[in-house]
Amino acid sequence: MNDTKPAPPSTALSSAVSSAPAAELNTPSPSASEPGKTRRIRPSHAAPDDVAYPKAIKSFVRRAGRTTTGQAKAFEDLGPKFLQPYQASLLDYAACFSTPGATDTATARPTILEIGFGMGEATAHIAGLMPEKNFICCEVHEPGVGALLKRIGEQNLHNIRIVAHDAVEVIDHMLAPNSLDGVHIFFPDPWHKKKHNKRRLIQPGLIAKLAARLKPGGYLHCATDWQPYAEQILEVLSAEPLLRNPAAQTHPELAGYAPKPHYRPLTKFENRGIKLGHGVWDVVFERV
């Protein structure tokens, strides 16, 4: 999810791949005829140049951030209940969301995955709006995790579990096929520069993984305020055979985009952008 504004390029969003890129190294060339001449050595674990979306590329960068006193206290008080550790095995949703003394069963509740929630404002809003649904939320930025834990306590929410880990590894190892009722990806890092577009989270490989984990009739909802990224998202989702675009029939005037669903709140940043004439694009597809 997003904070009160879309995350800047350095914000830690969930990863589109499994390992971080390594920088090239400058090392003295033993065969160099000129003193001090260097040669470029590619690390052995870096991806080949001809790979379009190599495994070495991440869509997020872990950036430093200050955890406030309130967030630190939320980690201490609420972390044991609402932080779900990463595990290399399928997650038991019922056990994950079980609450001692609860009269209902978590098994029957729809389960929504959220990737990259920023500081958790929209996440908490949606979870409070839909208490009958459970939300598995991935974010690697520690202050953001602390902020959402703090909101959980302040708003007395019980239907959120946070996995502070790379979202792709969570998808690969913790989420069973045909088990999710929805996926939210709000304002992922747009990586504005063309040379950085390959770092964008929304790529065919990730969408194929997510589509396979949706139940038939489940939905995938992406939102962005960067039009070139919106066009890419629409193109990638349209190419996935397990997904269909209901908005193409119900709202043909929107050229494939969807009206903003009622549950996604308008953030302060979005309201400001609307006043300035900026656009926000929602893309909502369903699993066939």
Side-chain angles (χ1 to χ4, degrees):
M1 298 288 269
N2 61 320
D3 187 5
T4 55
K5 62 181 181 179
S10 60
T11 295
L13 288 177
S14 297
S15 159
V17 288
S18 60
S19 60
E24 291 182 334
L25 305 176
N26 287 327
T27 59
S29 172
S31 61
S33 59
E34 302 175 17
K37 185 177 180 180
T38 61
R39 61 189 176 93
R40 307 293 285 181
I41 296 179
R42 177 177 293 277
S44 60
H45 57 283
D49 292 331
D50 59 350
V51 176
Y53 300 109
K55 289 182 67 177
I57 295 175
K58 272 186 178 290
S59 71
F60 68 84
V61 182
R62 290 183 184 271
R63 65 182 173 89
R66 187 176 70 86
T67 301
T68 67
T69 301
Q71 292 166 4
K73 189 174 188 305
F75 267 107
E76 181 180 351
D77 295 345
L78 301 174
K81 179 178 180 182
F82 295 101
L83 289 177
Q84 172 63 45
Y86 168 76
Q87 61 189 49
S89 58
L90 293 180
L91 182 64
D92 182 334
Y93 297 164
C96 177
F97 287 94
S98 64
T99 302
T103 56
D104 64 343
T105 172
T107 308
R109 295 180 186 173
T111 302
I112 311 296
L113 170 68
E114 181 178 13
I115 298 178
F117 54 75
M119 300 301 281
E121 180 183 18
T123 308
H125 171 89
I126 295 172
L129 193 67
M130 298 188 285
E132 75 285 357
K133 297 182 180 180
N134 289 330
F135 295 85
I136 298 172
C137 305
C138 294
E139 176 61 69
V140 298
H141 185 48
E142 187 172 296
V145 174
L148 180 54
L149 286 170
K150 189 169 180 287
R151 296 180 194 278
I152 286 172
E154 292 170 346
Q155 300 180 36
N156 194 30
L157 302 172
H158 300 280
N159 56 337
I160 293 175
R161 296 295 183 270
I162 302 170
V163 186
H165 193 80
D166 182 333
V168 168
E169 293 189 355
V170 172
I171 295 165
D172 283 343
H173 302 295
M174 295 180 67
L175 307 180
N178 302 306
S179 66
L180 295 174
D181 295 89
V183 177
H184 295 168
I185 308 176
F186 297 158
F187 302 103
D189 193 326
W191 292 101
H192 301 87
K193 294 183 180 179
K194 186 175 181 179
K195 67 179 180 179
H196 291 154
N197 285 176
K198 60 183 176 293
R199 294 181 178 272
R200 288 175 175 171
L201 178 66
I202 309 300
Q203 305 285 359
L206 178 72
I207 296 307
K209 292 174 187 284
L210 292 173
R213 283 155 180 80
L214 283 170
K215 298 176 183 176
Y219 68 93
L220 172 56
H221 178 188
C222 303
T224 181
D225 65 338
W226 186 247
Q227 186 172 359
Y229 199 5
E231 293 168 355
Q232 176 182 326
I233 291 171
L234 186 60
E235 180 181 356
V236 171
L237 269 62
S238 296
E240 170 51 52
L242 290 179
L243 298 175
R244 72 177 188 92
N245 186 0
Q249 285 73 44
T250 59
H251 294 278
E253 73 282 3
L254 297 180
Y257 299 104
K260 185 185 80 67
H262 74 282
Y263 54 80
R264 185 177 71 75
L266 283 174
T267 66
K268 294 177 183 177
F269 183 91
E270 189 174 349
N271 273 318
R272 185 176 66 191
I274 290 172
K275 292 177 182 178
L276 294 173
H278 300 167
V280 173
W281 292 265
D282 288 272
V283 183
V284 183
F285 277 58
E286 290 181 355
R287 167 70 193 271
V288 296

